[in-house]
Amino acid sequence: MKFSTSRILVIGLGLIGGSFARAARRLPKVDQVVGFDLNREECELGVALEVIDSVAEDLQAEVRQADVVMLAVPVKAIEHVLAEIAPWLKESALITDVGSTKVNIIAAAGRIWSEVPAGFIPGHPIAGAEKSGVAASDADLFLQRKVILTPLATTPEDARLTLARLWQSMGAEVLQMEPKRHDEVLAATSHLPHLLAFSLADTLAAEAESTDIFRYAAGGFRDFTRIAASDPTMWHDVCFANREPILAQIDRFTEGLAQLRAAVDTGDSQRLTGIFTRARASREQFSRILERAGYLQANSTPETLVVQPATALSGHLRVPGDRSISHRAIMLAAVAEGVSDIDGFVESEDSLATIQVFRDLGVVIEGPHQGRVRVYGVGLNGLQQPAGPLYFGNSSTSLRMLLGLLAAQSFDSHIAGSSQLMQQSYTELLEPLQQMGAQFELSAAGFPVRVIAGQKKLVPIEYAPGFASAQVKGALILASMASGVPLELYESNTTRDHTERLMRGFGVELAREGRSLQLAVGARLRAQSIQIPADLSFASAFVLAASLIPQTELIIEHTGVNPTRQQLLRILGRMGARYELRNESSSNGEPIADIRVYSAQLVGVDCTSTELAGLGDDLPLLLAAMSCAQGVSELSGIDRLPHRHQQLLEKMLSELQKLGVVIERLPGSVKIVPSSIEGGIALDAHEHPVAALALMIVGIVSQKGLSIAGCRALSSVFPEYVEQARRVGIRLLKEG
Ligand code: NAD
């Protein structure tokens, strides 16, 4: 059967019906828009305002001709209108509505037809206004608004697509939902807020001094009760049409309000702050969703960096706080006892995901505000069962480390994340946790979708992985601490030790003997103040830039120079880089220094798998260095790198190849043969911040510069990178 949108009949010519008619009249695939309303004046106004082409004087005749029948009458009237028009509908007619509830409308259709017509597709635009009537209609009302369609199991694809395209051509974003789910979601997001606004306005109006109250009412009252100006009849109908979901939401809200009341009554300041900070974070998250952005808009507008070739660089610069330490500071502070203040916290998409996960686990966290975060620790046994799934976004560090902590809880945790996160491999982490007795429900792809609460405490293990990882180490430490059991861990290679260093400040010492780490039983963390140093990975990018550009001298200030993070600096040193650490000090157990770096002639080197293992996410910078050095470099043991680093390696190599760098592949290793880099082409950093910096440096060394797509992730973790790079003489431009 073929469905069309040529002739549209709108029944109910009010705000929504009128807006739909106006928007439809502008579309090339619509020839005729006819209106019908019980109220004759609305029809006449509709013609006068050119909302419709004509009025349906003979409803039966119009229904017989209509390709689309849109019911835009109050919810309560929909069944009556459907029953009236049912006998006259064309077989290929699309019959739809805009009613705010859906289950009742589908039930009504079931009462009217023994076999519901193929073209019957209920819908609901999430758009509107407090005004009613055709005079208030607006052709742009649905622009960038969502329209939810609730097709039936029997709805043909062609019918659904035709209707979806009609709404889309009006500028709407079309979604599909189960009718029951639609009514539940709308009860929470639209119906409850309207009822609260009505109730507040009504309650205040009932006060004896209501006139005074309204006269002095400030913006808060005005904003909150704006929707109480909505049409009472419409909301009356919605309440009864969606009775059960609305009652459930009122009950939940009543419970929340009672908790708020109790916190005020008993002077429970922590509880009150908890409610407010969680609410504020949710509101902010909501705004980001509205703007279609992630925690830091990391997935929104694409960003491209245009880099010019550079000559001598000079001056000072400072890079943002360390990402690894930012995560760990939140995690440890959350399970410490007391209030921890964190300074220099980097607001990356990933570190914000860590904060949100702990908020969902009942930890009160204030900030981040200009790098400051205050965490009200709940102790190792104080986490609470989250109300819904814990969302980790794209943050592999947060998820991997916290799986250890969650595995030791007495409640189940449901885990959600980006599709990228869900495709990664977790075997190396789940294996030791399972040895400790942790249980997980895995997706078909091996993603831990649920951490199952154990019947018993986790048991201690002695663990010696083939290939050590700082995140697995962190997860095992957190799992052991939360279960109150000892841990003995043997590291086959050195991994980042930020967790251990931070823990010392929280009062828990890990004994280390050579490559073996031991955690004693009964460790408890005490809150502390934490100053996060600048990120050495970002700093290393400028060390590399300074090395490659002649007549250059740069100082990168106040950088964390933890020896377990210096692998890249060490390799660059072997390649001939000239740098020195000045003004050395320490903070929270982390060594800090200014890095002074001079131009040098870098030469190719060979790197062993152990050296590569210590590089982590700095790998792109090493590849950039090798591509711009003199002579061939070789990386061995690349097949032993963790999967995500192998993926990163492949992506970088393919970008470098486009620049003429020769990549020779051997079993388990790769040779990089540099060539003079002409540039002048477009590359992609694939939203990896360090890869973006690495390509930026290749760009400044090239003869014609580079355009680098996929740099949004860099902006999110290092927002001022363009300003900092320009300060030392790098010419670059951000587009997007
Ligand atoms: P409205 O009051 O502006 O318009 C409704 C029109 O329907 C009126 O002109 C009325 O005369 C007419 N009408 C009533 N019974 C009729 C009948 N039996 N036959 C023909 N005409 C009849 O209301 P509105 O805001 O346009 O709402 C219409 C529908 O849209 C409702 O079902 C409502 O739930 C839904 N809706 C409204 C909003 C909003 O914000 N206003 C948002 C989304 C959906």
Side-chain angles (χ1 to χ4, degrees):
M1 201 180 317
K2 191 108 187 75
F3 296 91
S4 155
T5 58
S6 168
R7 194 176 178 95
I8 295 182
L9 170 63
V10 180
I11 303 182
L13 213 50
L15 169 78
I16 304 290
S19 302
F20 182 84
R22 277 187 196 265
R25 283 194 77 206
R26 296 202 296 207
L27 303 177
K29 289 202 168 169
V30 176
D31 298 320
Q32 191 77 13
V33 179
V34 183
F36 177 82
D37 198 292
L38 276 189
N39 183 342
R40 183 71 206 173
E41 281 171 24
E42 291 294 67
C43 293
E44 281 161 14
L45 201 54
V47 176
L49 296 173
E50 298 183 2
V51 171
I52 46 173
D53 292 304
S54 59
V55 177
E57 301 297 351
D58 177 351
L59 185 61
Q60 183 174 359
E62 278 304 335
V63 172
R64 286 189 194 283
Q65 294 184 69
D67 296 308
V68 178
V69 180
M70 161 56 81
L71 305 180
V73 297
V75 168
K76 220 170 81 178
I78 292 181
E79 179 165 4
H80 167 75
V81 178
L82 261 187
E84 189 182 347
I85 63 169
W88 312 322
L89 286 161
K90 282 206 296 202
E91 199 192 346
S92 65
L94 284 170
I95 310 122
T96 187
D97 74 304
V98 289
S100 306
T101 57
K102 295 278 73 82
V103 171
N104 66 321
I105 286 163
I106 291 173
R111 286 189 290 272
I112 294 166
W113 289 290
S114 53
E115 198 178 320
V116 176
F120 175 71
I121 307 175
H124 177 206
I126 313 295
E130 293 75 54
K131 300 177 206 140
S132 302
V134 74
S137 63
D138 173 4
D140 289 330
L141 190 69
F142 311 114
L143 214 60
Q144 293 182 343
R145 294 309 173 101
K146 292 191 168 56
V147 170
I148 302 174
L149 298 184
T150 59
L152 313 186
T154 50
T155 308
E157 183 73 356
D158 187 27
R160 195 180 56 74
L161 285 179
T162 311
L163 184 61
R165 284 193 195 111
L166 179 64
W167 277 112
Q168 267 177 26
S169 50
M170 294 176 180
E173 182 192 334
V174 179
L175 306 174
Q176 213 172 287
M177 249 187 214
E178 287 292 319
K180 186 163 175 287
R181 177 85 186 124
H182 166 276
D183 287 3
E184 285 165 0
V185 169
L186 268 290
T189 54
S190 168
H191 306 169
L192 179 69
H194 275 87
L195 300 196
L196 297 183
F198 282 126
S199 172
L200 180 66
D202 183 50
T203 309
L204 292 195
E207 305 237 341
E209 322 77 27
S210 64
T211 323
D212 263 1
I213 289 180
F214 289 140
R215 188 175 301 142
Y216 302 124
F221 174 81
R222 199 179 50 230
D223 293 348
F224 188 84
T225 54
R226 178 180 59 81
I227 49 179
S230 302
D231 182 17
T233 319
M234 168 178 152
W235 284 100
H236 165 274
D237 290 4
V238 168
C239 281
F240 295 124
N242 201 24
R243 183 174 179 273
E244 299 308 325
I246 287 179
L247 287 178
Q249 288 306 327
I250 292 179
D251 291 347
R252 280 191 66 189
F253 178 76
T254 309
E255 210 175 286
L257 198 59
Q259 281 189 23
L260 190 63
R261 189 189 187 286
V264 176
D265 187 28
T266 57
D268 189 340
S269 120
Q270 185 165 334
R271 196 155 155 204
L272 202 60
T273 314
I275 296 170
F276 292 163
T277 47
R278 275 197 305 277
R280 182 176 144 153
S282 316
R283 183 62 181 81
E284 285 169 356
Q285 170 70 346
F286 171 65
S287 307
R288 285 186 288 265
I289 291 170
L290 280 188
E291 291 158 18
R292 293 152 199 259
Y295 284 105
L296 268 179
Q297 305 189 342
N299 301 318
S300 59
T301 346
E303 208 169 279
T304 297
L305 186 64
V306 181
V307 198
Q308 302 294 324
T311 48
L313 309 177
S314 66
H316 295 235
L317 65 101
R318 196 167 180 152
V319 298
D322 188 284
R323 290 160 298 156
S324 299
I325 304 177
S326 292
H327 277 293
R328 287 163 171 83
I330 298 291
M331 293 176 190
L332 295 176
V335 291
E337 289 162 19
V339 180
S340 294
D341 285 308
I342 302 170
D343 224 334
F345 178 82
V346 61
E347 287 184 43
S348 73
E349 179 86 7
D350 289 2
S351 57
L352 291 175
T354 297
I355 288 193
Q356 192 53 42
V357 165
F358 277 107
R359 283 191 173 130
D360 292 342
L361 288 164
V363 181
V364 175
I365 301 177
E366 289 174 21
H369 178 64
Q370 295 180 338
R372 289 209 185 91
V373 183
R374 171 166 282 193
V375 183
Y376 295 79
V378 294
L380 280 161
N381 300 313
L383 297 178
Q384 290 165 20
Q385 175 150 29
L390 296 169
Y391 182 68
F392 288 85
N394 216 4
S395 183
S396 177
T397 307
S398 325
L399 175 61
R400 283 167 198 274
M401 288 192 56
L402 292 188
L403 277 177
L405 190 60
L406 296 173
Q409 302 304 318
S410 56
F411 50 79
D412 280 10
S413 304
H414 292 266
I415 310 291
S418 70
S419 54
Q420 243 172 311
L421 195 74
M422 293 176 117
Q423 277 158 21
Q424 292 178 12
S425 158
Y426 294 86
T427 333
E428 59 180 16
L429 171 65
L430 298 184
E431 223 175 69
L433 288 173
Q434 280 161 339
Q435 270 182 41
M436 292 179 79
Q439 292 176 47
F440 303 93
E441 182 185 321
L442 303 182
S443 71
F447 181 80
V449 285
R450 185 163 68 107
V451 185
I452 302 167
Q455 301 300 313
K456 292 184 255 144
K457 275 187 165 186
L458 300 184
V459 296
I461 54 163
E462 288 176 23
Y463 189 60
F467 199 91
S469 130
Q471 290 168 350
V472 174
K473 173 173 69 178
L476 294 181
I477 291 175
L478 287 171
S480 304
M481 274 200 303
S483 297
V485 297
L487 169 72
E488 180 137 8
L489 185 73
Y490 178 83
E491 290 196 288
S492 51
N493 47 284
T494 310
T495 63
R496 296 179 179 192
D497 63 357
H498 299 305
T499 310
E500 298 95 295
R501 285 175 188 262
L502 264 182
M503 280 171 64
R504 219 168 285 148
F506 279 101
V508 176
E509 188 78 38
L510 279 170
R512 181 179 271 279
E513 264 183 53
R515 290 198 178 281
S516 170
L517 269 178
Q518 284 128 26
L519 174 74
V521 203
R524 283 167 66 185
L525 303 161
R526 284 187 311 272
Q528 64 162 333
S529 293
I530 301 168
Q531 179 77 42
I532 296 176
D535 195 309
L536 184 56
S537 297
F538 295 154
S540 302
F542 291 95
V543 170
L544 177 58
S547 304
L548 293 171
I549 303 294
Q551 294 167 1
T552 287
E553 183 180 333
L554 287 187
I555 295 176
I556 306 132
E557 296 166 348
H558 206 72
T559 307
V561 287
N562 181 317
T564 61
R565 290 286 294 281
Q566 285 195 33
Q567 187 67 290
L568 178 66
L569 285 188
R570 281 191 286 269
I571 303 176
L572 289 178
R574 281 212 291 120
M575 294 176 80
R578 294 190 300 140
Y579 65 87
E580 60 203 25
L581 304 184
R582 296 274 189 93
N583 299 328
E584 293 186 61
S585 61
S586 79
S587 170
N588 303 102
E590 291 283 347
I592 295 166
D594 294 341
I595 307 176
R596 184 185 279 262
V597 55
Y598 312 90
S599 343
Q601 177 59 64
L602 299 191
V603 292
V605 289
D606 293 345
C607 281
T608 62
S609 60
T610 320
E611 279 182 308
L612 290 185
L615 271 182
D617 279 342
D618 293 348
L619 190 59
L621 290 169
L622 179 64
L623 298 174
M626 290 175 161
S627 303
C628 300
Q630 247 184 21
V632 180
S633 295
E634 183 168 344
L635 307 175
S636 311
I638 55 170
D639 47 348
R640 296 183 56 204
L641 285 174
H643 182 63
R644 68 198 172 92
H645 289 146
Q646 287 188 30
Q647 284 178 326
L648 180 60
L649 176 86
E650 289 307 327
K651 282 183 184 159
M652 269 302 284
L653 290 180
S654 99
E655 296 305 307
L656 293 168
Q657 259 174 326
K658 293 177 194 164
L659 289 165
V661 176
V662 178
I663 310 295
E664 282 178 25
R665 290 173 187 278
L666 308 162
S669 73
V670 67
K671 270 191 182 164
I672 298 173
V673 187
S675 72
S676 149
I677 294 176
E678 191 184 339
I681 60 167
L683 297 181
D684 196 336
H686 297 285
E687 298 303 346
H688 191 283
V690 183
L693 284 173
L695 294 176
M696 174 181 99
I697 289 154
V698 178
I700 62 174
V701 177
S702 72
Q703 291 152 27
K704 293 185 178 165
L706 281 178
S707 158
I708 307 155
C711 291
R712 166 66 69 183
L714 174 59
S715 284
S716 81
V717 287
F718 189 173
E720 68 282 14
Y721 78 96
V722 170
E723 291 73 28
Q724 293 287 339
R726 282 190 188 151
R727 261 179 83 170
V728 296
I730 297 175
R731 290 179 300 153
L732 73 178
L733 189 75
K734 203 156 66 167
E735 289 178 348

